[in-house]
Amino acid sequence: MDTTLFDAFDPVSSKQWKQKIQFELDGADYNETLIWNSPEDIKVKPFYHHDEFSKSYPVATQATQWKICQAIFVHDVNKSAERALDCLRRGAESLLFTVKDSSLDLALLLTPLPLKEIKIYFEFSFLDVDSIRKIEKIAIEKNATLFYNLDPLGYFAREGNWFTSKEKDNFDSLNRLSKLVQNQSFISVDGALYQNAGANMVQQIAYALAHANEYLNRIPNYNQNMVFKIAVGSNYFFEIAKLRALRLLFDLIVKEYNPNIKCHFLVTPSKRNKTVYAYNTNMIRTTTECMSAILGGADAIMNLPYDALYHKDNEFGNRIARNQLLLLKHESYFDKVNNPAEGSYYIESLTSQLAEKSLTLFKEIENKGGFLKQLNEGHVKRKIQESADKEQALFDSGKEVLIGTNKFPNKEDQMSANIELYPFVKIKPRKTLITPIIEKRLSEKIEQERLNLEKKENS
């Protein structure tokens, strides 16, 4: 028999709630005190109520299906295969191989792995059709699910140059691969670059969509799923809504090409808010960010080790990062319910507002010639820099807080002896076709000052 839990209580309208809140404010202005404006120009209210909720955009997310992904840099294929098997034994459910050398025999890497049971992602520092042809042969023989994640447009945005010397050659290679690769996804969109460089969420969504649309326009025969590499920050509910809005808009746009193409989200925590000092707080940040990723609809999550900024790749950091995801999945039950954000008035409202604003910006980009034209003209770089500068100013003034860095820093922390990797923006003078989009963390200036002070005190 159906039972209603709240029949004993009279319904309370949004107007009544607001009147009660206004009374408790004791004269303070409701709008100025409780409503705040996000960097995306979204006004966030203190409460959301069904009688003010008019729009709902259904977004199908499969939170029961998300996978734990382990990143592995491939230098020695045999050792990398051993490490991959060890990671799978320790809880990883998918793997991402970073490959910088096109001469490596990747058959030796893939053959020992249980390819029928796991998904494999690649990240190549080159664009080579013959290398993909060899891997594709293995994929067909082993009935494997591979994601090649080729993104020459993202490489161009990040590095300022193409993989090969000419723009046309890069897209010609992708068109050749569209005929060669039948069952695997081979295109990806590096949306993480825009987040890590300081773009606001509307920009992140719109640029990622325009980036993807450039491929759909230039590869007429493309009919495979497309991977979006996404970085999530610490604005918990906004990040959930960001992923939902991106999926919603991609499904809308792709109908104009091939409605069978789906987006696949490979999500990782942002680097932008991570710190060298008080590094253990990075574990708290990455945990909540992974939670946002799951609730927002990530297909696979690759956690960021707490010490990734300043330590070389190490077993302890990787194990902790993997265990965070294992705890979320097996002890916090973050894989039990599909569409977990559905029905939340707040998240649904954020989703619709982000989607509407992002679609407007996407249309503006397309009307001005498309994403690549905007990249070449430096417009994308300028707009991201404007947003990054605004966020940096908030951080520098203390309005945006990173605990342990610009709020409650431990002055006794000593990090100079622990730095194995250079954790700041690297300057590589070289000739480029465009000014690259540069990733930069909020805390870099403070950390550099502290490290310089340490060296003076210890010298």
Side-chain angles (χ1 to χ4, degrees):
M1 183 177 69
D2 292 338
T3 58
T4 304
L5 296 177
F6 300 109
D7 279 348
F9 301 94
D10 293 330
V12 181
S13 69
S14 61
K15 184 178 180 180
Q16 289 173 297
W17 275 114
K18 189 172 179 179
Q19 289 173 340
K20 179 63 176 175
I21 293 170
Q22 186 68 68
F23 175 78
E24 296 293 339
L25 286 174
D26 197 25
D29 186 84
Y30 175 89
N31 291 332
E32 291 184 5
T33 306
L34 296 181
I35 294 179
W36 58 274
N37 207 37
S38 79
E40 297 77 20
D41 196 29
I42 292 175
K43 288 180 169 53
V44 181
K45 300 184 294 186
F47 73 96
Y48 289 77
H49 195 283
H50 71 83
D51 62 13
E52 293 181 339
F53 191 72
S54 57
K55 293 182 182 179
S56 178
Y57 298 101
V59 184
T61 59
Q62 301 293 315
T64 59
Q65 302 300 314
W66 69 275
K67 302 298 181 185
I68 298 169
C69 185
Q70 178 70 53
I72 297 175
F73 181 84
V74 181
H75 176 68
D76 181 307
V77 290
N78 292 314
K79 289 182 179 178
S80 295
E82 290 176 9
R83 185 182 168 197
L85 289 169
D86 182 62
C87 290
L88 292 172
R89 284 191 292 268
R90 292 170 179 263
E93 299 165 323
S94 59
L95 301 166
L96 182 142
F97 292 116
T98 299
V99 183
K100 293 193 173 183
D101 185 354
S102 61
S103 67
L104 291 175
D105 186 354
L106 297 180
L108 295 176
L109 174 68
L110 295 176
T111 301
L113 303 179
L115 297 180
K116 291 182 180 180
E117 302 168 15
I118 61 171
K119 291 181 172 67
I120 303 288
Y121 303 86
F122 286 98
E123 194 168 278
F124 297 107
S125 297
F126 51 86
L127 180 58
D128 183 67
V129 174
D130 289 336
S131 294
I132 301 300
R133 181 181 286 111
K134 293 175 184 176
I135 302 172
E136 181 69 4
K137 183 179 178 182
I138 300 170
I140 293 171
E141 290 174 355
K142 301 285 187 179
N143 193 25
T145 302
L146 306 182
F147 298 88
Y148 296 121
N149 288 354
L150 301 174
D151 185 15
L153 192 54
Y155 185 87
F156 181 59
R158 183 186 293 273
E159 298 294 331
N161 289 315
W162 296 98
F163 279 118
T164 53
S165 58
K166 297 180 181 178
E167 170 192 316
K168 182 178 182 297
D169 294 340
N170 289 264
F171 288 106
D172 282 349
S173 294
L174 295 182
N175 274 291
R176 287 168 61 195
L177 284 168
S178 71
K179 300 172 185 176
L180 170 67
V181 179
Q182 298 301 315
N183 300 316
Q184 313 298 334
S185 169
F186 68 92
I187 293 291
S188 76
V189 171
D190 186 4
L193 170 63
Y194 312 128
Q195 200 281 344
N196 284 317
N200 65 44
M201 289 190 195
V202 169
Q203 290 172 329
Q204 292 171 46
I205 296 168
Y207 293 155
L209 288 170
H211 187 152
N213 196 53
E214 197 75 39
Y215 286 129
L216 294 170
N217 275 324
R218 290 172 179 264
I219 311 172
N221 297 321
Y222 192 78
N223 58 9
Q224 292 91 348
N225 292 343
M226 189 176 291
V227 173
F228 283 79
K229 293 187 286 185
I230 305 297
V232 293
S234 57
N235 195 343
Y236 189 76
F237 294 106
F238 269 72
E239 293 292 352
I240 296 170
K242 178 181 83 176
L243 293 176
R244 298 175 82 248
L246 178 56
R247 189 180 295 276
L248 175 72
L249 291 179
F250 181 82
D251 289 346
L252 176 68
I253 291 167
V254 84
K255 287 178 182 177
E256 302 300 320
Y257 299 93
N258 183 340
N260 294 321
I261 300 174
K262 302 298 181 185
C263 56
H264 182 95
F265 288 170
L266 175 60
V267 184
T268 187
S270 170
K271 295 176 186 174
R272 187 158 171 79
N273 64 348
K274 303 305 179 291
T275 58
V276 171
Y277 287 90
Y279 49 77
N280 284 325
T281 57
N282 290 334
M283 281 188 272
I284 300 172
R285 296 177 186 125
T286 55
T287 299
T288 64
E289 288 160 4
C290 289
M291 290 162 65
S292 291
I294 298 165
L295 299 178
D299 295 284
I301 301 175
M302 186 170 62
N303 197 9
L304 184 72
Y306 74 97
D307 59 347
L309 298 177
Y310 62 91
H311 269 170
K312 294 178 182 177
D313 193 43
N314 63 90
E315 168 58 24
F316 183 77
N318 286 324
R319 180 162 60 88
I320 293 296
R322 190 169 55 244
N323 285 351
Q324 287 174 259
L325 295 174
L326 288 167
L327 286 169
L328 288 177
K329 175 168 280 197
H330 298 297
E331 296 194 25
S332 302
Y333 308 113
F334 266 69
D335 66 337
K336 301 302 181 188
V337 180
N338 285 326
N339 303 319
E342 192 171 40
S344 164
Y345 300 138
Y346 180 35
I347 295 174
E348 296 256 16
S349 175
L350 293 178
T351 300
S352 64
Q353 290 183 78
L354 286 173
E356 289 167 6
K357 289 176 180 290
S358 300
L359 185 59
T360 299
L361 179 54
F362 169 79
K363 290 178 179 178
E364 182 183 313
I365 294 167
E366 295 304 309
N367 288 335
K368 291 181 178 178
F371 186 66
L372 183 54
K373 186 173 186 290
Q374 295 273 285
L375 263 184
N376 278 317
E377 293 174 354
H379 188 75
V380 174
K381 164 73 175 174
R382 286 194 299 273
K383 287 298 183 180
I384 291 177
Q385 192 61 55
E386 288 172 9
S387 294
D389 290 343
K390 289 178 183 177
E391 186 182 20
Q392 189 69 54
L394 290 173
F395 175 80
D396 293 342
S397 67
K399 292 179 181 178
E400 182 162 339
V401 173
L402 292 180
I403 297 297
T405 300
N406 69 339
K407 187 82 168 178
F408 308 123
N410 182 357
K411 299 297 184 181
E412 296 182 3
D413 268 359
Q414 298 283 312
M415 287 300 299
S416 57
N418 294 325
I419 303 294
E420 297 176 352
L421 300 173
Y422 188 70
F424 310 115
V425 171
K426 297 182 177 73
I427 306 298
K428 297 188 294 184
R430 64 195 188 280
K431 186 177 180 180
T432 59
L433 298 171
I434 63 169
T435 303
I437 296 173
I438 304 297
E439 296 180 345
K440 185 178 180 182
R441 295 181 299 107
L442 289 168
S443 59
E444 289 199 11
K445 183 180 177 182
I446 288 178
E447 291 170 352
Q448 285 176 311
E449 291 172 352
R450 290 186 65 176
L451 285 170
N452 288 334
L453 183 60
E454 272 188 48
K455 291 173 183 177
K456 288 179 181 178
E457 292 175 346
N458 295 330
S459 61

